[in-house]
Every structure is written in C-alpha cells, then in structure tokens.
Amino acid sequence: MLLLAVAFIVAFVLLLYMVSPLISPKPLKLPGAHVVVTGGSSGIGKCIAIECYKQGAFITLIARDENKLLQTKKEIEKYSVNDKQVVLCISVDVSKDYEQVENVLKQAQEKLGPVDMLVNCAGTSVTGKFEDIEVNSFERLMAVNYLGSVYPSRAVIATMKERRMGRIVFVSSQAGQLGLFGYTAYSPTKFALRGLAEALQMEVKPYNIYITVAYPPDTDTPGFAEESKTKPLETKLISETSSVCQAEQVARVIVKDAIQGNFNSSVGSDGYMLSILTSGMSPVTSITEGLQQVVCMGIFRIVGLFYLGSFDSIVRRCMMQREKSESTDKNE
C-alpha cells in the first residue's frame, strides 16, 4: 500500500513537470529588446544592465548622477555582442515628478523603440532604531523606493498593453519579506512593492505582461557599504547569520526569472525558503511552483521559527548588555 502511494505521488509530480511548461509564459527574447533600468548607474541595477546587454539587448539607464551614468555607459559598452547595440543614459529623479518621468521614457522609446522590459532598481536605505530615525526619512524612502517604481511602471504600461507583451521587475529585498530590527523605515517601502506587484499582475496578465518581484539578500554594492556604516549592533549581528552575495550573481538570477516571467525571484537557499514561507496569495508561474509551496510550507515554517527565535535572542542580549553598560557608567 505504501509503495502504491509513493508510486502515485511520483507519477503525479512527473505529470506536473510535463504539464507545467504548457501553462508557463513564453520566455522574453533579449536580443534586440529594449530594457530600461532605473537606478542603473551602480550596484545591482548596473549588473542587470550588463547582463541584459551581454544577451543583445538595447539599454536605457536612468539615474540621478549624470557622471556615474556616463562612466557606467562606457563600462557596459565593453560587453556588446553586435555593432547595433545602444546604451542610452537619462539623468532624472524617478521619485519626484511623474510627468518628467513619463516624458523621458517617451524620449527613450522614440530612440530605442517600445520598452520590452522595465527593471525598477532605484532605491535607498536608512537603518536605525525607530525612534532615532528622522521623520522625513520615512517620507523620503517611501518616495524613492515605492513611488520611484510606480512612476516608471505607470509610464510604460499602456504601450505594453497595446503590444500585448512586456516584463516589469520590482527589486524589493529580503527585508521586504521579513521585518527586521533597524529597518522600520526601509522594510515597509519594500513590502509595499509586493502589494503593488500582486495587484498589477492580476490586471496585466491577460495582456501577456508578467511582473517579477526580486528579493535580493545582503549584496555587495556601494549602497550596502554605505548602509552598513549606520547599522545598529543588533542589525549587524542578525546580518551575520547569512552571507553577502555578489551583485553579478543576484543580477543573473533576476534577469533569468524576469525573462521566464516568474513572479518571485530569490537567491540562495535562504531566499528560496523565504519565498515559500511568504508566498501567501501571490501568483505562481507553474503548477510545480505551487506544489513546492504546498509541500514545503510547513517544514520551512518550523525552520523559520528557529531563525526568529535566534533573532529575538540577539536583540534581547544586546539590550541587556546596553543596560548593564549604562548602569555601570552611572555608578562610576
């Protein structure tokens, strides 16, 4: 009886693998495609632009710093695969003025054609205890990390619908899956991208447009180095429980998932576990993906509880050490 049950499960899984490609989106072909990357002058955004350029795409880089953009343009152009490829640079703040963002994207499309894939990578971070973070930092992060993705997406969605094709990528963070000490200003902005992505995917899926939400872990970028300077001790200790990834590795995964039309994009074993745990009512790209979530959810929840317990232990230990130090200082 047991063998029969095992055989049935194996046959069922094999059937799902066979059927899955039939319902999955048709992969986007990057050669000759127009890819727009916001926040593309450094870090993950730059590496995504390089990865797409290596595969024959035309690139529009959008960022605030014009000098950085020009330097990045030269670096990307080293990876050309044909003489027709172009890297267009546009200096604009994608979080401030929607009409300006809409105008520059119209200009980009006039020069390089309709946008086939938009990667919303512009973002910034502020770490610190909730009561220590300036109130205007909450407003600024929401503008950059959330509205800075809304505006470009809003500017290209109509054309994508007309063409019945497109990809939009929102670069969130593992801090957009799990709220952590020190990220009270940052995490909500990245969580917001998930809600936007789920609602938008439901709207645009009939038009053959697919949304990808990327959840990169700590990644070796200039932004991460700057963020690390102000991290509270608790945040640093929690971060040490996982390794820091290279931006090139993260970019390859994001580009691959976006091409395939996968809704979730994660890196490494921790990222895979978090994607399963936080899948909730998020869309799935294939039957097998849904099956993995159903099978692994309970097991990963147990593992996740151990992680949460260790994080709480770190926070309590740091609080006790701080109080002990303050008490000693007062006695002296």
Side-chain angles (χ1 to χ4, degrees):
M1 191 68 180
L2 180 61
L3 289 175
L4 184 63
V6 171
F8 176 78
I9 292 172
V10 171
F12 181 63
V13 171
L14 288 174
L15 178 64
L16 288 177
Y17 272 106
M18 292 172 64
V19 174
S20 180
L22 300 178
I23 64 169
S24 298
K26 186 178 180 180
L28 176 70
K29 296 180 180 179
L30 280 184
H34 181 191
V35 178
V36 175
V37 184
T38 71
S41 62
S42 64
I44 295 174
K46 181 178 78 171
C47 290
I48 287 175
I50 290 174
E51 183 65 26
C52 291
Y53 200 68
K54 284 180 177 179
Q55 297 187 41
F58 290 68
I59 306 294
T60 294
L61 290 178
I62 298 179
R64 290 175 298 176
D65 192 318
E66 189 171 0
N67 290 329
K68 280 187 178 180
L69 278 171
L70 294 175
Q71 292 173 5
T72 303
K73 172 183 168 70
K74 293 178 181 177
E75 186 175 345
I76 294 174
E77 287 175 338
K78 297 176 183 177
Y79 298 94
S80 64
V81 294
N82 61 67
D83 296 336
K84 296 181 180 179
Q85 282 180 278
V86 176
V87 179
L88 177 65
C89 293
I90 299 176
S91 176
V92 67
D93 188 335
V94 293
S95 68
K96 285 191 174 180
D97 185 342
Y98 171 69
E99 289 186 0
Q100 188 178 18
V101 173
E102 186 179 34
N103 287 334
V104 298
L105 280 168
K106 281 182 179 178
Q107 294 171 20
Q109 294 185 89
E110 287 171 1
K111 294 179 179 178
L112 301 183
V115 175
D116 296 291
M117 183 162 78
L118 167 66
V119 183
N120 293 291
C121 202
T124 187
S125 175
V126 171
T127 56
K129 294 180 183 177
F130 182 66
E131 67 272 21
D132 293 336
I133 299 174
E134 296 292 335
V135 172
N136 61 7
S137 293
F138 290 89
E139 298 171 353
R140 181 169 63 88
L141 262 65
M142 186 58 75
V144 175
N145 295 348
Y146 179 68
L147 293 180
S149 293
V150 170
Y151 292 167
S153 301
R154 177 69 173 73
V156 303
I157 199 69
T159 305
M160 286 185 174
K161 280 187 172 183
E162 289 173 3
R163 300 175 65 224
R164 295 292 198 273
M165 64 169 292
R167 297 285 192 273
I168 296 178
V169 181
F170 296 106
V171 179
S172 179
S173 164
Q174 285 189 353
Q177 296 173 295
L178 169 68
L180 294 172
F181 191 106
Y183 287 108
T184 51
Y186 179 73
S187 280
T189 67
K190 294 299 187 177
F191 268 85
L193 290 175
R194 161 77 174 268
L196 169 63
E198 287 189 4
L200 184 57
Q201 178 64 95
M202 195 173 290
E203 287 189 21
V204 301
K205 188 175 181 180
Y207 296 90
N208 193 37
I209 300 168
Y210 289 89
I211 311 298
T212 297
V213 188
Y215 300 104
D218 285 343
T219 306
D220 186 11
T221 64
F224 177 71
E226 192 64 28
E227 170 195 311
S228 298
K229 295 177 182 179
T230 59
K231 277 183 179 178
L233 176 60
E234 292 89 340
T235 309
K236 290 180 179 178
L237 293 175
I238 290 172
S239 296
E240 288 174 359
T241 61
S242 59
S243 58
V244 177
C245 290
Q246 297 301 309
E248 294 83 1
Q249 175 192 3
V250 173
R252 282 194 295 271
V253 173
I254 293 174
V255 172
K256 179 182 177 182
D257 286 328
I259 290 172
Q260 297 297 328
N262 296 334
F263 184 78
N264 288 301
S265 178
S266 59
V267 179
S269 56
D270 286 349
Y272 177 74
M273 182 181 75
L274 273 175
S275 288
I276 297 288
L277 280 173
T278 60
S279 56
M281 291 291 289
S282 65
V284 293
T285 311
S286 66
I287 296 175
T288 50
E289 183 184 0
L291 180 65
Q292 288 171 357
Q293 293 170 357
V294 171
V295 172
C296 298
M297 181 76 77
I299 299 171
F300 285 170
R301 177 57 175 165
I302 294 172
V303 177
L305 288 174
F306 279 103
Y307 271 97
L308 290 173
S310 67
F311 295 161
D312 286 340
S313 177
I314 289 171
V315 173
R316 282 196 302 270
R317 189 167 66 249
C318 289
M319 183 190 71
M320 292 172 64
Q321 290 176 350
R322 190 175 292 109
E323 289 180 345
K324 183 178 180 181
S325 178
E326 290 173 354
S327 177
T328 303
D329 291 340
K330 287 181 181 179
N331 292 333
E332 291 178 353

